[in-house]
Amino acid sequence: MRKPFISANWKMNKTVDETEEFINSFIPMVKDITDVEVLIAPPFTSLQAASRILKTTNIKLGAQNIFYEEKGAFTGEISPAMLLSAGCSCVIIGHSERRQYFMETDEIVNKKIKTARKNGLEVILCIGESLKEREENKTFEVLNGQLTGSLKDISLEGITIAYEPVWAIGTGKTATKEQANEAHEYIRKWLVKNKEGADKLRILYGGSVTPDNTEALMSEPEVDGALVGGASLKPDSFAQIVKNAGEKIRVNNRRMSV
Ligand code: PEP
């Protein structure tokens, strides 16, 4: 069984002090949970402070973006070496907010993934359809296009996929567990057909995940975890999501022992 993976995406929230305060409260809340992989992706400015505190824990540190060149005259951009030196082991690429507000195309996303992987960073690749696309029954067509473009010439090692329907992000409208699983199933089939090692890759759901809906979403066979925005900003709510995600493993273990 794939280990559940819960990732916090803080977006443009939290100063250095707020980051330290969050992490210092969060660590004791999840210290006994070993059956869930946890990652926090704060803003760039908080990475180093977060890394100093997380160093003695199993909680991973991720960035929310990266540039596809390794160094040079690219004012305002961040390279893989900078992320590694700040303590990151992972980077979120292709979030719908980057696609929408910063014109990131699948081609750019593909270049970013290649640079990140070349430098040993793990990647959470975000894909998902808009409300209009869902209403026009184009969900699978959109996912196919994003997977084809973003993963061109890329092997699946070190990659996690986050299915994030754009209409569910920050709106309070969660996809039903059946809608999430249907999209995840499509993604899994696409990967099995087109790439090696698809069974090991984790597919996270993202879009208004809260402590109250985590267990139901995670009960679906193809939902391996969650990428959490709003509900990851408070230590107790994020810790509860992590705990609830572990229930998937506990239920599975109980089943195996009968
Ligand atoms: C996200 O930012 O990836 C996200 C899913 O946000 P929220 O949980 O707030 O919908």
Side-chain angles (χ1 to χ4, degrees):
M1 187 181 185
R2 293 176 290 266
K3 187 172 185 177
F5 183 15
I6 300 291
S7 172
N9 172 19
W10 285 357
K11 313 191 187 194
M12 199 172 71
N13 293 292
K14 294 198 191 293
T15 60
V16 173
D17 287 352
E18 288 164 348
T19 298
E20 289 173 341
E21 199 184 321
F22 176 107
I23 294 176
N24 283 324
S25 326
F26 179 69
I27 290 172
M29 293 178 185
V30 294
K31 71 174 188 334
D32 296 328
I33 304 172
T34 52
D35 45 14
V36 179
E37 197 171 313
V38 181
L39 179 137
I40 297 177
F44 290 133
T45 44
S46 288
L47 287 174
Q48 220 179 344
S51 163
R52 268 195 290 267
I53 314 176
L54 292 177
K55 222 183 285 181
T56 55
T57 74
N58 290 329
I59 300 167
K60 291 176 152 186
L61 183 64
Q64 300 171 22
N65 187 25
I66 190 171
F67 193 50
Y68 52 75
E69 294 292 347
E70 311 250 350
K71 67 191 299 186
F74 303 103
T75 303
E77 293 296 338
I78 301 283
S79 75
M82 291 169 189
L83 294 184
L84 289 164
S85 73
C88 286
S89 60
C90 182
V91 58
I92 298 170
I93 297 181
H95 192 281
S96 63
E97 287 152 15
R98 298 226 41 100
R99 293 176 189 262
Q100 184 180 350
Y101 303 126
F102 303 97
M103 312 309 147
E104 274 189 18
T105 60
D106 289 324
E107 198 183 331
I108 294 172
V109 167
N110 179 259
K111 282 174 36 174
K112 289 186 170 191
I113 299 175
K114 281 182 179 152
T115 308
R117 290 302 301 135
K118 184 174 156 217
N119 286 276
L121 285 159
E122 289 177 19
V123 167
I124 299 177
L125 163 65
C126 301
I127 56 173
E129 81 287 0
S130 67
L131 182 60
K132 185 166 177 284
E133 288 160 344
R134 174 160 283 263
E135 284 173 350
E136 289 171 359
N137 284 321
K138 289 188 177 151
T139 299
F140 295 158
E141 191 185 315
V142 170
L143 295 179
N144 176 47
Q146 290 175 333
L147 288 165
T148 307
S150 306
L151 291 177
K152 185 165 183 276
D153 302 326
I154 289 173
S155 73
L156 296 184
E157 202 190 335
I159 309 265
T160 295
I161 290 181
Y163 166 64
E164 299 209 303
V166 180
W167 47 272
I169 297 179
T171 59
K173 267 191 220 158
T174 322
T176 62
K177 62 193 180 84
E178 292 80 12
Q179 282 172 324
N181 199 62
E182 185 189 38
H184 286 216
E185 246 175 24
Y186 175 84
I187 295 166
R188 179 83 56 202
K189 281 189 189 139
W190 188 98
L191 295 171
V192 167
K193 188 169 160 216
N194 294 286
K195 304 273 175 187
E196 298 278 307
D199 53 327
K200 291 200 201 82
L201 178 142
R202 285 173 295 189
I203 307 176
L204 316 183
Y205 167 78
S208 299
V209 171
T210 65
D212 293 339
N213 59 28
T214 307
E215 235 180 281
L217 286 160
M218 293 284 300
S219 70
E220 291 295 321
E222 286 296 346
V223 180
D224 301 316
L227 181 54
V228 189
S232 73
L233 293 172
K234 293 215 170 82
D236 50 350
S237 103
F238 190 51
Q240 195 58 51
I241 290 174
V242 172
K243 281 180 198 152
N244 294 354
E247 191 53 23
K248 180 158 189 158
I249 289 281
R250 295 186 280 272
V251 167
N252 188 59
N253 289 347
R254 283 197 290 274
R255 224 179 265 141
M256 306 272 277
S257 67
V258 209

